[in-house]
Amino acid sequence: MAGEDAGAGFQKLFSEMTKQVAKAFSRAPGQPAKGKAGETGGAPGAMKPKKAEGRGLGFKAGYSLKTPGKGDASGEAEVRLYSDSLAVLPKFKEPLLVPLRSVTGFAAKDYRVELALKSDEKLALYDFGYEYENFVRAFSSFMNNLLLEDLLAHENVVKSGVEAEYAYSPGPEGREGRGGGCVARLYDSALVVIPEEGELLRVPYGAIYAISDTGKSLEVFTDYGGKLVLSMMGYEFDAFSSALAKAYGGLLANEQAALQALLPGADPLQVRSAASCMKEGRAVTKPELDAHSPGTWEMIGKRLADLGLSEGFDYLQSLSGARGTAVGVKQGLGWGTADYYLWFLVPVYSADKGKPGNAVAMEVPGKGSSKATYFFRLAGRGEYARLGMSELDAKAGEMVKRLSAAMIAINFRREPIYLPDDKLELPGHEKYAAAVRKIPELRMLRSLFIGRVIHASEEKWRKDARDLLAFNVSAKSDAEKWAGFAESTEPEEKEEGGEAGEEGEAGGRKARRRESRAKKAGAGAGKKKS
């Protein structure tokens, strides 16, 4: 009996050892065991950010650093990767610490990693041996973690990370398609793909016009001709598909709720029809809205008057005959709330090129009153004088669409649009500097931005708006900004995070109190200094 027990014990031990050996040889040497995707970065369990704290993740590699105006440095080094930085530690040489937010470009090819830094330096890492893929995956993960924090700081994870294969075609944007292994995750406002290698892909639900479930893959089609295919999810496929359907359907339901709250006199069919073309705050013109929901445009105009916003809206429209004006309805950035607000875009141009204009004005209501009007360049300053009215009409229509899509892409955050370049480098704004480098829509908004006019009082606001538009047609260079615009020093959390009900109505007592205050304030609501 004792011999039998000993034999059984030995057999169990041998079985466990066999499993461990098989597991070790099932992956490349040096490759860590595969763990569950992290909730914030999609790295395997052994590479979650929390594991990179303390001494960081360690690698042995060769390096070369090219510094403009100085000699090159190279050699062997220990490379330590942290959740927000990279350290290159050569033996008996000066160490190099690289904050990940200072990385402006990243390429991994032929077992070599090349980084472009905002200091104009070029850092190359190589000779990782079997650890090359592990480094690339961990580095991509940590870079994407930071970008997720910067983009989605106020959002919740709706569906945690699911390992998948992805293929993305951006459509007629001129950029190359990409694909490979990834972690797919759902947030409040977007589907996020976190590749094993490369930068993350964020697809706002508002930019999706169709989703197809083939049973083995999900095909997501965007309004701008893009296509994303997710496959190889295994047993997680059905759960992820259901969660995506729920999130996308929830977006449409939220838009309907927003319209119903803001336009209580609209009938259900009218609300559903309008919501279908105003997803996630998309601004639409009167012809677009009339085609889907006749009469809703007029109801929105009346609502603007009720909220004390019509004077600014009407004045901006009067500057160019109301051509191309677009209006949207957006849920506030206080996620999980039922508060909503109206926002609008008004192109300002005319046949008389000396008349103040060549701009698109954007009004996004602020807390208690409209805080500021943002102005963006419509056409290049050297080009504007040569364009006829039909060309300007077409350009205005296209620009309104671009601005609307860009605001959705950056979650309607406005501080990173107007902060000057030197302010981006100050402590507390690092996330904006990184976002500018990584998000093309934000770079476009900053390049077109002329200035903003604070609603200190109706009279001063009109004067400043005229001065800005007059400056815009007299300036020669597209890089010139209006010197009169006020710079806010308030952090985004105070300015943006509290926007969840700015000029909006939610159900319940809180919304009714806001509406009552807005009605009492009337046209004078805009006079309160922000």
Side-chain angles (χ1 to χ4, degrees), residues 160-212:
S160 59
V162 174
E163 294 182 2
E165 292 289 319
Y166 84 103
Y168 177 64
S169 303
E173 300 172 7
R175 290 180 287 181
E176 293 184 2
R178 50 193 174 113
C182 73
V183 168
R185 186 175 302 140
L186 302 177
Y187 283 83
D188 283 328
S189 70
L191 162 62
V192 173
V193 172
I194 306 164
E196 289 181 354
E197 299 181 14
E199 294 180 0
L200 67 87
L201 170 66
R202 178 177 180 268
V203 182
Y205 301 137
I208 297 173
Y209 81 84
I211 301 174
S212 174

Side-chain angles (χ1 to χ4, degrees), residues 323 349-353 378-379 383-396:
R323 286 187 299 271
Y349 60 96
S350 69
D352 180 0
K353 302 307 169 54
L378 173 58
E383 173 192 19
Y384 180 62
R386 301 192 300 268
L387 297 176
M389 286 303 290
S390 61
E391 293 170 304
L392 284 171
D393 288 342
K395 199 167 191 67

Side-chain angles (χ1 to χ4, degrees), residues 408-424:
I408 291 172
I410 66 169
N411 254 352
F412 283 78
R413 290 177 172 85
R414 302 184 297 281
E415 195 175 24
I417 296 174
Y418 65 78
L419 277 177
D421 291 341
D422 58 337
K423 291 287 183 72
L424 287 177

Side-chain angles (χ1 to χ4, degrees), residues 144-305:
N144 287 329
N145 283 348
L146 294 179
L147 192 54
L148 279 171
E149 290 176 13
D150 297 346
L151 282 174
L152 303 166
H154 298 285
E155 296 198 34
N156 301 309
V157 176
V158 174
K159 172 65 178 173
S160 59
V162 174
E163 294 182 2
E165 292 289 319
Y166 84 103
Y168 177 64
S169 303
E173 300 172 7
R175 290 180 287 181
E176 293 184 2
R178 50 193 174 113
C182 73
V183 168
R185 186 175 302 140
L186 302 177
Y187 283 83
D188 283 328
S189 70
L191 162 62
V192 173
V193 172
I194 306 164
E196 289 181 354
E197 299 181 14
E199 294 180 0
L200 67 87
L201 170 66
R202 178 177 180 268
V203 182
Y205 301 137
I208 297 173
Y209 81 84
I211 301 174
S212 174
D213 182 339
T214 69
K216 294 183 178 180
S217 65
L218 289 169
E219 298 179 347
V220 179
F221 302 88
T222 71
D223 289 333
Y224 306 101
K227 180 181 178 181
L228 170 67
V229 179
L230 294 172
S231 59
M232 304 294 290
M233 293 185 179
Y235 67 89
E236 290 273 17
F237 178 82
D238 288 339
F240 190 89
S241 178
S242 297
L244 177 58
K246 183 177 180 180
Y248 184 63
L251 170 77
L252 298 178
N254 282 343
E255 198 63 43
Q256 291 182 30
L259 284 164
Q260 194 68 68
L262 286 163
L263 308 174
D267 64 61
L269 177 58
Q270 197 173 19
V271 166
R272 290 199 307 275
S273 300
S276 67
C277 67
M278 301 179 79
K279 293 178 295 185
E280 204 184 355
R282 179 173 176 257
V284 295
T285 62
K286 186 178 187 303
E288 287 179 284
L289 190 54
D290 284 348
H292 288 82
S293 182
T296 302
W297 182 272
E298 288 73 20
M299 297 180 74
I300 289 176
K302 184 178 183 304
R303 193 62 176 143
L304 286 169

